[in-house]
Amino acid sequence: MGGTVAQLPEGQIGSAVRFLLRRLPAVLIAGALGCAPARPPARPPVLVVASSPLRLVADAAGRRGGALLLVRAGSAYDPPGREGLSFVLAHGLAAKAGVEVEVGPELVRFRIPEGRAAALAAAFVESVDEQTVRLGVAAAGPAEGCAAQARHAALAWGVAGHPYGHRPEGRTSVLPTLRAGELQAFRQLRYVRDAAVLVAAPEADTVALSLVLPPMLSRSVTPAVALAPRAAGVKVSAPVSAGCAAWVLATPASWGAREEALLSVAARIVGDPAPPPRVDPVGVLSALPDADALRAGFAWARADVVAQVGAEAAEREAASLLLGSLRGGHYVPASALLAALQELTPEALVSWADGLRAGSVALSLVPEDSGAGAESGQPPRVPSLEGFFR
């Protein structure tokens, strides 16, 4: 009274067993996939990105025929001792092409008016000459206003030795020594397809830029040095009419959308520009307001930040493509930042600021004629701002 299998001939039983064993891995895999949570598709491999046409983010809001080119070739990629290569190259190319450019610690932004894409593409492929160097160096003037100078000096003091620890414009002692060959080598290394994204309206004519960058990978895509900020502040003499200060913030070990939202709102309250895209979280503020000032400015500052993030959605998506997947990176995409801003409360901002005061490093600018005497040798001896920027 055995079952059906027991009544099969011995040869057929062996065949059935071998058939089941062959099918077992596929059955187990299918079952595992059926139980696995849904996952987004994998990013294209970097080699595919490098060999494909230039990545394009459609700007639904429209730039009236213009475009924005983001290149991961900011001042953090200046070789040590050659600080200023990124700035001088970008401004030299932009001046030749008749476009605007902004150089940040990570990203270079070329703002391209309608009809100028072909001129910028031509500047990218021409050999870098001494005229390019002269045009770029001429653009590297001092920052305007006491607060801006203090923020630059605070970075130079607070994170000295870090790739972010110098002005995007470079060092004043290095700029006169830059040569065309260095800029050419920097462009060949950094201005490649893997390190660039184009943001353009659907009707924009960007064909000239789509294939002009070489199909190569960008090397050394993360800052190589990470240093803890200094533990003490400093006073610096500067050619300013009244004193001001800036703080290098004590960044937590974990940096995410909430921390980025807090820094963005605080920057708006004190009148600072929005924090630039960075993969390593370093924050600088021109002031650390008290609790009453933070509560009073919270609502309008958060609303302004939300509006700006929404208006720059396409640009932030492009920045996320360049910085969001870097090893150890902390770049926060627009969607996550907007969600964190909506959840933010005044009390969370006040608590965050209270925690900052204990670990942040202050740099104060004082007028040169204040009696501190930077070069007098008499105590208290105060270093000069020019020394920080050299």
Side-chain angles (χ1 to χ4, degrees):
M1 300 298 294
T4 305
V5 174
Q7 296 177 1
L8 290 173
E10 183 177 350
Q12 294 184 18
I13 293 175
S15 298
V17 171
R18 286 193 295 271
F19 173 78
L20 290 173
L21 290 176
R22 285 197 303 270
R23 298 288 295 175
L24 184 60
V27 172
L28 292 176
I29 292 173
L33 292 177
C35 298
R39 296 178 179 176
R43 289 179 179 266
V46 290
L47 287 174
V48 173
V49 171
S51 60
S52 300
L54 184 63
R55 287 173 288 181
L56 174 67
V57 173
D59 188 359
R63 295 180 177 270
R64 298 182 180 178
L68 173 71
L69 179 67
L70 272 64
V71 185
R72 193 176 63 239
S75 60
Y77 300 100
D78 289 336
R82 308 309 290 158
E83 293 86 355
L85 274 178
S86 169
F87 185 93
V88 171
L89 173 62
H91 279 266
L93 295 174
K96 281 191 166 184
V99 304
E100 295 181 359
V101 68
E102 302 168 19
V103 178
E106 290 286 346
L107 299 179
V108 178
R109 296 177 174 87
F110 291 94
R111 301 190 182 277
I112 310 165
E114 185 174 4
R116 301 306 300 172
L120 183 59
F124 282 165
V125 298
E126 291 176 359
S127 295
V128 177
D129 54 19
E130 292 301 329
Q131 182 190 16
T132 310
V133 180
R134 289 194 299 271
L135 291 170
V137 171
E144 295 183 0
C146 186
Q149 294 186 65
R151 288 194 299 271
H152 287 315
L155 276 176
W157 168 255
V159 291
H162 190 283
Y164 297 156
H166 65 276
R167 296 185 307 157
E169 292 86 350
R171 299 193 183 279
T172 56
S173 60
V174 173
L175 292 174
T177 71
L178 297 179
R179 295 294 178 261
E182 293 180 282
L183 271 66
Q184 176 88 352
F186 187 88
R187 188 186 69 180
Q188 292 172 342
L189 182 66
R190 300 295 176 195
Y191 281 64
V192 295
R193 214 168 291 172
D194 166 58
V197 175
L198 188 65
V199 181
E203 69 277 8
D205 182 9
T206 58
V207 175
L209 282 170
S210 61
L211 292 173
V212 70
L213 298 178
M216 296 171 56
L217 293 175
S218 177
R219 295 165 50 194
S220 306
V221 295
T222 53
V225 180
L227 299 177
R230 294 179 185 266
V234 67
K235 185 180 293 184
V236 178
S237 67
V240 294
S241 58
C244 63
W247 279 259
V248 178
L249 308 183
T251 53
S254 174
W255 185 274
R258 181 177 183 274
E259 289 73 23
E260 190 76 18
L262 288 164
L263 177 59
S264 299
V265 173
R268 188 58 53 90
I269 289 175
V270 302
D272 286 351
R278 290 188 174 103
V279 298
D280 202 6
V282 175
V284 179
L285 285 176
S286 295
L288 289 179
D290 60 23
D292 290 340
L294 291 173
R295 291 191 183 96
F298 175 81
W300 65 262
R302 182 176 69 168
D304 278 0
V305 174
V306 168
Q308 182 178 6
V309 172
E312 298 174 350
E315 180 177 341
R316 286 177 175 269
E317 181 182 347
S320 183
L321 289 174
L322 291 173
L323 303 177
S325 62
L326 296 187
R327 183 182 69 254
H330 295 81
Y331 182 76
V332 178
S335 58
L337 181 55
L338 286 171
L341 286 166
Q342 297 298 339
E343 296 176 358
L344 213 57
T345 65
E347 294 309 315
L349 183 62
V350 170
S351 176
W352 176 74
D354 287 342
L356 286 179
R357 288 185 178 86
S360 298
V361 178
L363 181 139
S364 302
L365 293 190
V366 297
E368 290 176 334
D369 57 357
S370 64
E375 304 300 334
S376 67
Q378 301 298 320
R381 190 172 186 274
V382 180
S384 69
L385 183 65
E386 175 59 23
F388 275 70
F389 291 160
R390 288 186 64 82

